[in-house]
Amino acid sequence: MDTLVDVLLLALSAVLINNLVLKYFVGICPFLGVSRRVDMAFGMGMAVTFVITIAATLSWAFTEFVLRPGAPISTAVWQAVNPDSTAIVDLSMLKYIVYIFVIAGSVQLVEMYVRKFFPPLYKSFGVFLPLITTNCAILFACLMIGSAKHIGVDATEPWGLGYALVYAIGGGLGFTVAISIMAGIREELDLCDVPKCLKGVGIALIVAGILSLAFMGFTGVDKGLGKLLR
Amino acid sequence: MPQKLPTAGERFLNGILPENPVYRQLLGMCPTLAVTGAMAPAMTMVGATAFVLICASIIVSLIRPLLKPHLRILVFTLTIATFVTIADRFLAAYMWNMSKTLGPYVPLIIVNCLIICRCEVCGSKQGVVTAISDAVGQSLGFCVALASIASVREILGSGTWFGLQVLSVHSEENPGGWFEPWSVMVLAPGAFLTLGLLLGLVNWYADRRKTAAAQAN
């Protein structure tokens, strides 16, 4: 029961309270670039959710088995080379390079899959699909999962795969929610009389500010709900 | 050659204002919004980004005859990731508190589109000297942009600038103070609003300059 509540709260916190875009400012480029039409925005959000899930799983596995201090695979390799050594192997310095490799690989995979099985979707994404590699939201989620300290949730030791997956999917859904709301507002904005100098990105940023103000209203909901449910 | 590429001097001057990375090219928005709650973290971020941008531009410019088109972006990213690791280790070793304040935004320099874009536009096409001057110019432009946003947010949000008291903030120790800090400015919405309004201001000024120039002709 407690685990279920934990998972529920973690998902809620990732989707609404600690929204990747509106609280941590990651993934701003697609948030401003692909938010002109709702269907495109929703597709982009789904693609990001998909990539974030794959990349988070892979980077969790790399952190757990290779990169963290005393990880099984790196220790085994080290001891095969130096049988007498008792040193603890710590490769965590390499994590940025490994994560970015993992993300680039998963984006390539998704691109190939979408091109083969959903050609119309592939055409409508165009240049944005490869650009997911440089979407900071994905690297941010991988870093959160790989580090021992987690924002919004008290955790003293690294997460298990289950929590990591919940966080990744929740983060991706939060991105989808934010970008879809934004696209809906911007479709209406096209009909409004915006001052010339604010047209385009300027007014989009101001709308995002108001949206982020609205999302701040969720702050503390997870703590209260947790007290109620436990 | 289809078109003449800008020279080193032009690259340097273009980076500061006419092609300002944040206001004109809309690159590197994540750090621009995330670390500008106060001047000190913003300037540390500028330092780290400038270091990575300059080093990555030099390396990319040196290896540009070897680059294969389809592997280009991967090579850029790996070069950048290496230098970001160096910068991150340096900050953790010598500026521990700042490194904790910036948190995940230091590794996020890897995916800062500013650096990848400059490597692509300038580093992979022109020589080392031009690449360095372009990187320095873009870093200065990034510095100007972050400094302007961070100044607005820190002065309005906490009444200080670089931690120095600028406005007389009302508090229990200082009952004569007249300024009530706008706490929303240091939170997430303030970042979006400040950047949006400053962007509007820059566009308005650029438009006015253009009309004035058109009328003068």
Side-chain angles (χ1 to χ4, degrees), chain A residues 22-104:
Chain A
L22 298 171
K23 179 141 185 216
Y24 294 113
F25 313 106
V26 290
I28 295 288
C29 305
F31 183 66
L32 295 174
V34 201
S35 61
R36 290 197 177 274
R37 280 178 29 219
V38 174
D39 50 345
M40 281 281 280
F42 187 75
M44 184 70 189
M46 282 294 124
V48 167
T49 311
F50 193 62
V51 175
I52 236 178
T53 314
I54 297 176
T57 316
L58 286 174
S59 63
W60 179 84
F62 269 107
T63 316
E64 178 67 23
F65 298 120
V66 183
L67 295 176
R68 77 180 163 87
I73 293 181
S74 47
T75 311
V77 170
W78 175 249
Q79 270 167 1
V81 181
N82 303 307
D84 308 327
S85 166
T86 53
I88 292 172
V89 185
D90 182 2
L91 292 181
S92 48
M93 222 175 103
L94 290 176
K95 69 180 173 196
Y96 303 152
I97 297 180
V98 170
Y99 289 174
I100 202 76
F101 239 136
V102 164
I103 295 170

